[in-house]
Every structure is written in structure tokens, then in C-alpha cells.
Amino acid sequence: MLLLQGIQNLGRVTAPTFKKQLGRNFVFQWRDVHSSCALTAKLKDPPSVKKPPDDLPVFQYIGKQTKRVSKIFVWGNAVTGALGVPDFLDPPPRKRARKHQSVPYCLQDFSQDARTVSCGYGFTVLTSSKEKGKVWGTGVNTDSQLGLQKTVKTTHKGANAIVLDYLIAPAPVDLPLTNPQETQVLQVACGRAHSLILTDREGVFSLGNNAYGQCGRAVVENEEYRGSSQINRVKIDGKVKQLAAGLDHSLFLTEDGEVYSCGWGADGQTGLGHYKSEHRPTKLRGDIDGEKITQVATFADCCLAVSEKGDLFGWGNSEYNQLASVTETTQVNVPRLLPFDYIGKAVQVAVGGTICAVLNDQGQVYVWGYGILGKGPKLEETPIPELLPEVLFGRNDFSPDVTVKEIKAGLNCFAAVTTGGDLYTWGVNKHGCLGLGHVKDQYFPWKVSLPGDVVSVECGVDHMVAVIKSLL
């Protein structure tokens, strides 16, 4: 009834007034849908009416058959270019440059092609699923950790090639692949100024600073890393399945469960039984000898590893009680078994500059070390793992099955992904790297707002990158 009255009132409007108010001619048609009347409108633009601009927002509604796509979101320190958003540092007219981004921001250029990512010290390396064997980098490139990147500057004297020390948008890294169309990049790992790239067919590549042999090649005295095109193919016995990059050292885990390392060893972080640097990837012994290791983790100078049995091992720096359960010294140069049986079966570890975390097979998170650990401001230091309450990660009477499935650590912060696809972060919030919309430190895990289910997350010194399955 109301619909009929509305149409009758509409008919009383004169043509000029109707056109002036709506700016369009409407042709009305009646049709019967399930014994009810429905009104449809066909829009027809008269020649005298201008079309609306193309940049108006478009609203899309999700249907049951909508295909979810991968997207990359970035946040944290924007000054280095590690976020890969040019408008942050080179804004359009009437816009201000952005020093930090405290909420997740979608990296549009890789909206549907996200595969793997890694955060270094002021730079990011990522790969695209559609570009087989293609690696991209953005941010600090002073040591060619993102490959040789150049631009051409034209002046009245001619054109000159200029080496780029910083990239504000992702640029391709050309790998010396034998079969670029067939080879896929499986993982990337970033250190202070070097990068590691794992492929499915052609092994491991390394590039960037090699002052301590962290790239797995001989150290060249007084080598100039800026503007270098050197990309090394790392030689390792066995097929590598996982990479981990520390400050100036590298770890390689093979499919047989063996761990190899190279690089700086002043804190024992290479785990080779000495405190010297080593450029040849060498197999670790100690307490992991004969064990099948399933995962390794490092970020600064402390290293952790998990075995197939669920045991936890550690070596390297222990100045902040990371390894105080097995030694009173501040450096450990061989892998040691950590006596943490009460945590259950370990399945994953994460380690930052002074902080450590372990995830067990029940989806519970334990933390130890020194810093903001996640149990409030009163817990600043502990040499043994302490359990973080599961309710902090969204587990309650309404969601009894929610557990943590992935943990990561930056220099002074943590990130955790739950089985429900949510992301929680906590720790030092430098430059808004926790993605919580502010720059205050966070003493408990707090949920990050993202438009989809989080697949994985990577932490840097002061920025983070997440891969999500987006709703749009």
C-alpha cells in the first residue's frame, strides 16, 4: 500500500522538477515476483546531464560464493620505506608525509598475489604467487640486501645511473635462476643487512652484507656492499626446508632435521662450539646431535630449536636469562637441551632480542626472558617459561576451541595467530609496530583489527607484515 502511494506521489511531480531533483530519467516497470509487486528502475543519462566521477566509492556485498583472496597488510615505521607505500613518504598534493602507520594498511600492489614475507632491520622482502621465482623488496638497501637497485637521472649533462640506498615501493630482485619459469620461492628470511631466499628447485640464495660470512661465502676484506650485484648460491649438504636469519648469522634446517649455521659467532649464536665467525655453513652438534629438528628461530643473537619429540633447545646470547635454566654464563656456543618438560610438547618457538616464547601442542603460549612478556607490567623478567592465560587470545565459553597456532617475535614484541584467524600483538610499540592504532606499549596480548582471517605474520624491529585471506 505504501509502495503504491509513493508511486502516485511521484507521478504528481512535474518533469522539470523531477529531472532537477534526481538528475536522471527513470523508466518504471512492474513485474510480478512470487505474487508480490516489485519495482525496478532503469537509469538513462540524458545528454544534458553529466556523469558522476569515476573515483566515487563502490560498495560491494559479500555473497556465499565469494572467493577469498590473499592480501598483505603492513604497519609500523614508515620512514625506512619498509612498508612499501610510496604515498607515506612522497605524498600527493595537500597531503602530509607519514612517519609511522599505527593501524594495518593494505599493500595494494600485492593484493591478490601474496605468498611469503619476511621483515628485516628496516626492510621487507616478499614474494608473489603469480610471479614464479619472483622476489620483491622495499626499504633500506644500503648493503644491497634487496639486490642491485638503480634509477636513471637525466640532467643537462646526460643520463646517469644512480644506486638506490632506499626503496619506498616494492621492486623486483633478480635472482640468477637456471629455470625461472619453473622455480618457486618457498621462503625468505631477513637479518640486519642480509637476506636469504629458499627455492624449491635451485636451493638457497643469499645477498647483502657478508662481513662475518652470514651469506655463506668467503669474507672479502674491504668489500663494498653498496651497489653490489653479488647474489650467492649457498652450498649445504642436504635439502633445506627452513631458513632463519639473525643479526649477522644464518640458520638452515634440512629435511633430515639437521641444522647448519654460518656468520658471526661472538655470542655463540652459530652453535659450532666456538666464538669465531664462520663463512661455511656447518652442521651443529651439541645436544641436538641425533635429534630431528622441526623448526629453528632467531632474530638477534639468541637461537631456539624444536625437535620432533617436542623438546626445546637453545644456544647463543643469554645476557637476559634466555638460557639461564642451563647456564650462568652469558654466552652458550653449543645447542643445549632446555629443561622445560612442564610446558608439554613444544611445536613452535619464537625469539627476539631479549624475549622468548614457545607454543605447545595444546595451543598454549609460554614466555620468558626480559622485557614486556605479556602478563602485565609486573612481569619484566623470568628465566623459565610462564603460561599466558588462554583467555587473552579469545578463548572463552562462547569460543572454547580457539587456540594459538603460530607465534612470532620481533626485536621487542610478540605476535600470535589463532585458529580463528585473529592476530594478537604485545610488547614495545615502537612507531606503532603493534598495529593497535596508538604508540603506547602493550603489556597484554591485544587483538589487531584486520578485514579477514590472518594466514601468517612476520615481525621486524619496528614494523610488521601480515598475510590475510580477505573478505573482499
Side-chain angles (χ1 to χ4, degrees):
M1 191 65 182
L2 293 176
L3 180 61
L4 293 175
Q5 291 179 354
I7 295 174
Q8 292 173 356
N9 293 333
L10 186 62
R12 298 191 185 100
V13 181
T14 60
T17 305
F18 178 76
K19 184 175 181 180
K20 180 179 180 181
Q21 289 178 348
L22 299 183
R24 284 197 169 96
N25 292 331
F26 282 76
V27 180
F28 293 94
Q29 295 179 339
W30 288 96
R31 65 180 181 180
D32 180 50
V33 181
H34 299 294
S35 300
S36 63
C37 292
L39 183 64
T40 61
K42 291 184 178 180
L43 300 180
K44 184 178 180 181
D45 289 322
S48 60
V49 179
K50 295 183 179 179
K51 292 185 178 180
D54 294 333
D55 58 352
L56 287 178
V58 177
F59 297 94
Q60 181 179 352
Y61 295 91
I62 302 301
K64 293 182 179 180
Q65 304 301 322
T66 301
K67 185 179 179 180
R68 299 161 70 88
V69 296
S70 295
K71 290 188 178 182
I72 291 181
F73 279 78
V74 296
W75 60 92
N77 188 2
V79 174
T80 62
L83 302 188
V85 184
D87 286 351
F88 287 173
L89 301 178
D90 187 19
R94 296 187 295 276
K95 295 286 186 178
R96 293 183 179 180
R98 198 173 305 184
K99 294 183 178 180
H100 67 261
Q101 174 71 20
S102 61
V103 295
Y105 187 95
C106 183
L107 197 58
Q108 296 291 347
D109 290 343
F110 294 87
S111 60
Q112 296 184 23
D113 305 334
R115 189 177 179 89
T116 59
V117 296
S118 181
C119 299
Y121 283 56
F123 64 99
T124 303
V125 176
L126 45 90
T127 66
S128 167
S129 60
K130 289 188 177 180
E131 294 286 347
K132 292 185 177 181
K134 184 71 73 175
V135 179
W136 302 73
T138 182
V140 178
N141 193 39
T142 53
D143 290 79
S144 300
Q145 56 265 52
L146 303 178
L148 176 59
Q149 303 290 345
K150 292 183 178 181
T151 187
V152 177
K153 184 177 181 180
T154 304
T155 64
H156 65 282
K157 296 182 179 180
N160 295 317
I162 299 176
V163 174
L164 297 176
D165 293 328
Y166 297 88
L167 302 175
I168 63 174
V173 179
D174 294 326
L175 297 178
L177 298 174
T178 304
N179 298 302
Q181 297 300 322
E182 300 295 331
T183 302
Q184 291 269 10
V185 175
L186 302 179
Q187 189 204 347
V188 288
C190 302
R192 177 184 62 85
H194 75 290
S195 302
L196 304 173
I197 301 167
L198 174 63
T199 67
D200 60 346
R201 297 170 178 264
E202 303 189 37
V204 178
F205 294 89
S206 63
L207 60 160
N209 192 292
N210 189 54
Y212 304 98
Q214 60 265 44
C215 286
R217 61 182 177 88
V219 177
V220 178
E221 188 175 356
N222 299 322
E223 181 177 359
E224 179 63 40
Y225 300 107
R226 180 180 182 272
S228 173
S229 60
Q230 175 78 43
I231 297 180
N232 180 53
R233 192 187 296 265
V234 183
K235 297 180 180 180
I236 299 175
D237 294 333
K239 187 174 182 179
V240 177
K241 75 171 187 177
Q242 191 219 329
L243 307 170
L247 192 68
D248 290 305
H249 69 282
S250 303
L251 301 177
F252 311 90
L253 175 63
T254 68
E255 291 183 344
D256 295 330
E258 297 176 334
V259 181
Y260 290 76
S261 71
C262 61
W264 193 35
D267 282 320
Q269 58 267 56
T270 55
L272 300 176
H274 57 72
Y275 298 100
K276 301 177 183 179
S277 297
E278 177 58 62
H279 73 271
R280 294 180 296 266
T282 306
K283 182 180 176 180
L284 275 68
R285 300 290 182 179
D287 290 347
I288 68 171
D289 195 18
E291 298 282 347
K292 186 172 184 178
I293 302 301
T294 57
Q295 189 232 341
V296 291
T298 187
F299 190 88
D301 295 318
C302 181
C303 306
L304 296 176
V306 179
S307 72
E308 189 176 45
K309 299 176 182 177
D311 293 328
L312 191 60
F313 301 86
W315 65 95
N317 185 282
S318 185
E319 294 180 45
Y320 301 94
N321 287 331
Q322 301 102 308
L323 308 175
S325 59
V326 294
T327 182
E328 294 181 355
T329 63
T330 56
Q331 286 91 22
V332 179
N333 61 19
V334 292
R336 296 286 303 275
L337 174 65
L338 304 182
F340 300 148
D341 294 340
Y342 65 91
I343 68 173
K345 182 179 180 180
V347 295
Q348 195 176 126
V349 287
V351 56
T354 63
I355 54 178
C356 303
V358 58
L359 176 68
N360 66 16
D361 60 351
Q362 302 300 312
Q364 298 172 318
V365 179
Y366 289 80
V367 293
W368 75 100
Y370 173 81
I372 300 178
L373 299 176
K375 294 190 73 173
K378 292 185 178 180
L379 180 63
E380 188 178 44
E381 183 177 7
T382 176
I384 59 175
E386 293 204 17
L387 175 65
L388 293 182
E390 295 171 271
V391 67
L392 296 177
F393 299 103
R395 187 170 188 175
N396 50 49
D397 293 339
F398 299 98
S399 302
D401 299 326
V402 172
T403 60
V404 175
K405 68 176 183 179
E406 181 185 51
I407 54 173
K408 291 295 174 65
L411 187 65
N412 298 300
C413 60
F414 289 109
V417 180
T418 70
T419 53
D422 293 324
L423 173 65
Y424 290 81
T425 60
W426 66 99
V428 177
N429 196 15
K430 189 175 182 180
H431 298 290
C433 66
L434 299 181
L436 302 176
H438 58 76
V439 294
K440 297 178 181 179
D441 293 344
Q442 180 62 39
Y443 289 89
F444 298 95
W446 198 264
K447 184 178 176 180
V448 180
S449 179
L450 285 162
D453 293 337
V454 178
V455 177
S456 64
V457 64
E458 293 293 336
C459 306
V461 174
D462 48 20
H463 77 289
M464 288 190 188
V465 180
V467 179
I468 74 167
K469 283 293 185 181
S470 177
L471 296 175
L472 286 175

